[in-house]
Amino acid sequence: MSGGRRVGGYAVAVVILLAGWALLAWLIDSPALPGPFAAFGDFFSALGEGLVEAFAVSAARVFVAIGLALLFAVPLGLMVGRSPRADAVFAPLVFLTYPIPKIVFLPVLLVLLGTGEVSKVVLIAIIVFFQILVTARDAAKSIPEASVLSVRSLGAGAAQVYRNVVVPASLPAVFTALRIAAGTAVAVLFISETVAGTSGLGFYIMDAWGRIDYGDMFAGIIAMGLLGILLYEVIEFAEGRLCRWTRVGGRTVG
Amino acid sequence: MARVAIHGLEVVYEGVEQRIEALGGVDLELGDGEPVAVIGPSGCGKSTLLVALAGLVAPTRGEVEIDERPVTGTRLHTALILQDFGLFPWKTAYHNAALGLEIRGLPSAERARRTAEALERVDLADFAGSYPGELSGGMRQRIAVARVLALDADLLLMDEPLSALDALTRESLQGLLLELWRQRGFTSLLVTHSIEEAVFLGRRVVVLSPRPGTVHAIVDNPGMGEPAYRSSEFFYEKCAELRGVLVAEGAFAERRAGP
Ligand SMILES: Nc1ncnc2c1ncn2[C@@H]1O[C@H](COP(=O)(O)OP(=O)(O)OP(=O)(O)O)[C@@H](O)[C@H]1O
Ligand SMILES: [Mg+2]
């Protein structure tokens, strides 16, 4: 997609969203759902009153958590997917633990790791870790053996097979999983910030709710939405950089 | 350059459910610079023969020697071209062609020079920056050929390299392979399902038996070597002879009944 078309698409989407929001606010007619103009007015005035700091805290938590999850999940998943012996041990372990909703461990983490940064980051990281792990394993497992033979015939050792085949072949699947995981990550961030601590957007929103300050509350909600968009855009950008070949084809000039 | 000797080569795969005997004792010698084609029923172990020669699969019994040295792993001057998967969609034409040299750790200036030369040779110099997804099937196989040229291989192993291509592209690439062989004189072993291709590109055509593969017959084809051979009467006679050998072996019946 060209840059111009992309921006144009975003503009249309924003207009549709704002119009829908305005309509809904008008129909419901409650202070809990202000219209977009009022809400953005509150949003901009809240920026100077702690919203920027809350946003920064939340963004740092979610980015660090996702980074940590990737750091562990991608190499481990690829290795397990490529090694039938490791997979024989690992697959049952993962498939037993994968369906357990990890969010239920939040109280345990709060007790063990305290109500500060660590417990929140660890919880998000664990949840993202599992989603990426399973995808990376499946992707590595489905690489055609002929692809591997082809580089090995050129004299490639294990490390070069990973670098030239396993990693690039699995990256698109990892990015798809990451996009889904990012949505979950923001949701978990919100929950963990509302349950414990006195910082971040989750706290900001629930604190405003407690004070019945709907303007502030909505400013926080908008900031949370922007955080989600920022996360997606960063992922999109990284994918464009690392998986350039998936963006080719179907383009014509003129 | 490269003389190949295969003695009593047996390869047995330990599958998940059962052992599969792919090759059941193959004896074959390739002279230095000799182009040999291999044809045989599906599943008879043709690809297995190539990967064993490339040093990627160890013989269960028997041995493979190149220049009187037993093959125990990959060899610097052996090149393998596969039907698909030989090229990587995530690498540009340049990096696909340069891959062999990259893995061998050649200095980058030397690598760039040889890769550019090879791409030039297969008429893809203008497409160095394109991804395989942006190229036609014939262009992709030419990148695979460029990779081999860049490597300066003396033994070329090809596993149905042209079978996914349309008839016209196929003929032009057969012409390219013949020309390169005439220029460079590498020893080559070409696996194919096409009788015409085997006769056009093989000085001898080895017919394998159904699995477990053994050498069923060898058809001598001394007329091979000229681009014009394809339109000569001898060519048609040779194709008919080869077809006769395959029919007698039951290769066609096998393929109809087989999976
Ligand atoms: N890695 C493997 N593990 C187990 N069995 C295998 C493996 N590779 C091949 N085989 C089996 O060995 C036999 C020979 O396979 P091979 O691929 O060498 O045949 P082929 O002659 O190349 O067939 P085709 O003409 O269809 O390409 C087949 O029965 C196949 O199922
Ligand atoms: Mg085969």
Side-chain angles (χ1 to χ4, degrees), chain A residues 3-232:
Chain A
R5 280 243 301 280
R6 202 178 139 90
V7 171
Y10 260 93
V12 172
V14 166
V15 168
I16 292 174
L17 271 176
L18 290 181
W21 177 0
L23 184 68
L24 201 64
W26 178 71
L27 287 174
I28 291 178
D29 193 24
S30 148
L33 184 63
F37 289 105
F40 274 98
D42 291 334
F43 171 75
F44 287 111
S45 58
L47 286 180
E49 295 156 20
L51 187 58
V52 170
E53 289 77 2
F55 182 89
V57 167
S58 289
R61 284 172 181 159
V62 79
F63 276 98
V64 168
I66 289 179
L68 280 175
L70 283 173
L71 199 66
F72 288 98
V74 173
L76 191 62
L78 295 184
M79 195 204 71
V80 169
R82 287 298 310 156
S83 154
R85 234 184 302 151
D87 198 47
V89 179
F90 220 82
L93 207 63
V94 169
F95 284 102
L96 273 181
T97 48
Y98 182 68
I100 300 172
K102 264 56 106 198
I103 187 105
V104 299
F105 294 111
L106 178 58
V108 180
L109 290 175
L110 288 176
V111 173
L112 293 179
L113 303 172
T115 56
E117 296 305 319
V118 184
S119 59
K120 297 180 184 68
V121 169
V122 167
L123 181 69
I124 299 169
I126 289 175
I127 290 169
V128 174
F129 170 85
F130 271 91
Q131 297 191 0
I132 304 292
L133 180 72
V134 170
T135 311
R137 167 192 173 267
D138 290 349
K141 224 179 154 74
S142 65
I143 293 171
E145 206 44 45
S147 283
V148 176
L149 276 186
S150 168
V151 271
R152 281 190 46 219
S153 81
L154 295 169
Q160 280 164 323
V161 169
Y162 271 86
R163 213 175 70 101
N164 289 297
V165 181
V166 178
V167 171
S170 311
L171 268 185
V174 167
F175 271 108
T176 304
L178 187 56
R179 248 192 232 106
I180 298 168
T184 319
V186 176
V188 173
L189 173 78
F190 176 75
I191 293 170
S192 67
E193 284 176 345
T194 57
V195 169
T198 53
S199 63
L201 288 173
F203 172 77
Y204 187 98
I205 292 167
M206 294 315 276
D207 180 58
W209 174 70
R211 290 183 280 110
I212 325 184
D213 184 342
Y214 293 132
D216 248 12
M217 184 180 88
F218 246 83
I221 291 173
I222 290 172
M224 203 80 177
L226 290 178
L227 177 57
I229 291 173
L230 174 69
L231 205 52
Y232 265 70

Side-chain angles (χ1 to χ4, degrees), chain B residues 100-118:
Chain B
L101 303 179
E102 248 172 71
I103 287 173
R104 275 146 216 223
L106 235 74
S108 68
E110 169 80 352
R111 195 162 76 203
R113 188 182 60 76
R114 277 165 69 169
T115 306
E117 237 172 63

Side-chain angles (χ1 to χ4, degrees), chain A residues 145, chain B residues 13-16 20-23 40-49 83 159-160 191 193 208 211:
Chain A
E145 206 44 45
Chain B
Y13 288 108
E14 297 288 347
V16 184
I20 295 170
E21 198 179 353
L23 290 176
S42 190
C44 73
K46 300 181 295 295
S47 302
T48 304
L49 179 62
Q83 179 186 333
D159 194 0
E160 303 183 38
V191 167
H193 273 137
L208 291 186
R211 194 173 63 81

Side-chain angles (χ1 to χ4, degrees), chain B residues 7 34 83 99 106 124 155 192 214 223:
Chain B
H7 297 299
E34 186 184 23
Q83 179 186 333
L99 185 59
L106 235 74
L124 284 177
L155 174 61
T192 175
T214 55

